[in-house]
């Protein structure tokens, strides 16, 4: 019995750590490839990541490690326009990683929580407790203060990250509305998103005229290793996310995500070389991080549900 408890505890810790570490690695490696090595094409990187995802999941399905409905026009119709949102979200997400410091990228991503909350209230008619809304507003207040003190402010980078937030929120809300994730599963949804959006991603890359063949980094073995790593980490992140949800539960995954983002925010002040310190910016980042931790606590303890009659309950936590 004791051995089983120890084994269960190790599985729980392993699943949580694998999700946290993979999340940190994918941001770090993408930042290195795009900002430190200055890889010239976000669009080409998106095409490769989508291609790798399709191939790996197809191999897993062929080996019967995962199961989801076979590709069909009927299923494609059901999931549209999710693949388009998925691809655009990937491209602008990589673009914002390239344009912003990791610290500001992570902080500005918290706007997603506000966008999802507004969308779920308006579209899904969900309700949230006052405590939840206060913690979300505290996060956003911190983001605004940090932005006012951002000495490396760049309009294009802010446009990309806010677009990234809006697309993430739209994807999250739409998938809840159609409820297709339950029939396809997360791996199946990722496969459909990737394979359907891949042709459009290739077209966008070709039309853009981006050139990657003469990029000097191809002769650098370490860059090639990081380039291959960032293309594999997207799939690994989804797998570790599924593992964390299965072993630890969705609420624990949410808490791990918030704590990971807090660590990444302060780590990003050092890594990448593009963060410029200011007291106002640091204060805003700290307020937002504290609001995120409190929000995570509210969600984890179940205090995010409004006090309404049971027949009307149904609010869910925002991930």
């Amino acid at each position: 019995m004791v051995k089983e408890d120890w084994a269960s505890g190790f599985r729980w810790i392993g699943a949580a750590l694998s999700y946290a570490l993979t999340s940190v690695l994918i941001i770090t490696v993408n930042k290195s490839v795009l900002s430190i090595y200055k890889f010239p094409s976000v669009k080409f990187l998106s095409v490769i990541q989508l291609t790798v995802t399709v191939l790996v999941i197809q191999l897993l399905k062929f080996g019967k490690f995962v199961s989801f409905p076979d590709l069909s026009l009927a299923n494609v119709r059901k999931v549209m326009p999710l693949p388009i949102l998925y691809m655009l979200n990937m491209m602008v997400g990589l673009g914002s990683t390239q344009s912003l410091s990791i610290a500001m990228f992570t902080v500005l991503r918290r706007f997603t929580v506000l966008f999802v909350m507004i969308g779920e209230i308006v579209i899904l008619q969900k309700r949230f407790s006052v405590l939840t809304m206060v913690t979300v507003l505290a996060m956003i207040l911190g983001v605004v203060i940090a932005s006012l003190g951002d000495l490396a402010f760049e309009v294009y980078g802010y446009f990309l990250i806010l677009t990234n937030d809006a697309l993430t929120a739209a994807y999250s809300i739409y998938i809840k509305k159609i409820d297709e994730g339950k029939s396809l599963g997360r791996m199946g949804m990722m496969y459909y998103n990737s394979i359907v959006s891949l042709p459009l991603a290739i077209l966008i890359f070709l039309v853009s005229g981006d050139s990657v063949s003469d990029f000097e980094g191809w002769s650098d073995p370490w860059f090639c290793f990081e380039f291959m790593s960032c293309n594999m980490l997207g799939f690994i992140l989804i797998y570790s996310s599924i593992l964390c949800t299965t072993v630890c539960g969705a609420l624990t995954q949410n808490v791990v995500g918030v704590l990971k983002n807090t660590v990444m925010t302060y780590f990003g002040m050092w890594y990448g070389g593009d963060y410029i310190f200011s007291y106002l910016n640091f204060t805003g980042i700290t307020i937002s991080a504290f609001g995120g931790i409190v929000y995570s606590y509210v969600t984890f303890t179940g205090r995010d549900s409004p006090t309404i009659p049971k027949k009307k309950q149904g609010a869910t936590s925002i991930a």
Side-chain angles (χ1 to χ4, degrees):
M1 187 69 178
V2 175
K3 289 183 178 179
E4 291 179 358
D5 290 341
W6 273 99
S8 177
F10 279 123
R11 282 196 300 270
W12 192 95
I13 294 172
L17 283 178
S18 67
Y19 170 62
L21 291 175
T22 306
S23 300
V24 169
L25 278 174
I26 193 170
I27 296 176
T28 304
V29 175
N30 281 339
K31 183 66 177 176
S32 177
V33 168
L34 292 169
S35 295
I36 297 177
Y37 284 99
K38 301 187 184 303
F39 186 71
S41 180
V42 165
K43 304 173 191 68
F44 180 77
L45 186 58
S46 299
V47 169
I48 300 301
Q49 289 189 358
L50 290 170
T51 302
V52 169
T53 299
V54 169
L55 292 176
V56 171
I57 296 180
Q58 188 63 60
L59 286 173
L60 290 175
K61 182 174 171 58
F62 180 77
K64 301 187 184 302
F65 293 101
V66 298
S67 176
F68 54 85
D70 292 330
L71 185 65
S72 68
L73 188 58
N75 281 331
V76 170
R77 288 198 189 102
K78 287 180 182 179
V79 300
M80 290 298 287
L82 287 176
I84 307 301
L85 293 173
Y86 179 82
M87 180 204 63
L88 293 175
N89 194 29
M90 173 183 288
M91 286 189 174
V92 297
L94 289 171
S96 57
T97 302
Q98 184 179 42
S99 301
L100 299 168
S101 67
I102 290 180
M104 286 309 299
F105 171 84
T106 308
V107 167
L108 287 164
R109 283 291 289 160
R110 292 196 175 101
F111 263 109
T112 302
V113 179
L114 178 64
F115 292 162
V116 170
M117 175 176 281
I118 293 172
E120 289 194 345
I121 290 172
V122 174
I123 298 173
L124 303 181
Q125 286 81 51
K126 291 191 175 179
R127 297 175 62 183
F128 300 92
S129 69
V130 174
L131 183 58
T132 300
M133 290 188 284
V134 168
T135 56
V136 171
L137 289 176
M139 280 193 291
I140 300 306
L141 175 63
V143 175
V144 172
I145 293 173
S147 301
L148 291 174
D150 185 6
L151 300 180
F153 176 83
E154 182 183 309
V155 174
Y156 181 64
Y158 272 65
F159 169 75
L160 286 178
I161 190 63
L162 291 176
T163 302
N164 187 204
D165 294 342
L167 287 170
T168 301
Y171 182 91
S172 175
I173 294 167
Y174 195 81
I175 198 171
K176 289 177 183 178
K177 187 175 181 180
I178 66 173
D179 210 27
E180 272 306 314
K182 291 184 178 179
S183 61
L184 293 178
R186 293 188 67 178
M187 199 68 74
M189 181 61 72
M190 189 178 184
Y191 176 78
Y192 269 80
N193 283 337
S194 300
I195 198 167
V196 173
S197 62
L198 181 57
L200 180 57
I202 294 173
L203 178 62
I204 291 174
F205 167 66
L206 293 175
V207 171
S208 71
D210 288 355
S211 176
V212 297
S213 59
D214 55 352
F215 177 61
E216 296 179 357
W218 295 126
S219 60
D220 184 337
W222 186 249
F223 166 78
C224 293
F225 172 75
E226 290 196 21
F227 184 82
M228 289 188 293
S229 297
C230 72
N231 288 312
M232 286 298 300
L233 281 170
F235 166 77
I236 296 173
L237 176 62
I238 295 296
Y239 177 79
S240 64
S241 173
I242 295 171
L243 182 66
C244 184
T245 303
T246 303
V247 175
C248 307
L251 287 177
T252 299
Q253 182 193 8
N254 181 51
V255 173
V256 171
V258 171
L259 295 177
K260 174 265 301 179
N261 287 337
T262 302
V263 172
M264 279 302 298
T265 299
Y266 292 102
F267 170 73
M269 295 179 182
W270 167 79
Y271 186 80
D274 50 0
Y275 174 76
I276 303 175
F277 177 85
S278 77
Y279 287 106
L280 184 62
N281 178 263
F282 184 82
T283 300
I285 286 175
T286 301
I287 292 173
S288 183
F290 179 74
I293 293 172
V294 175
Y295 168 76
S296 179
Y297 171 77
V298 169
T299 302
F300 189 75
T301 56
R303 299 183 182 184
D304 60 329
S305 300
T307 305
I308 55 177
K310 289 186 178 180
K311 64 179 181 179
K312 293 185 179 180
Q313 285 185 352
T316 57
S317 62
I318 304 172

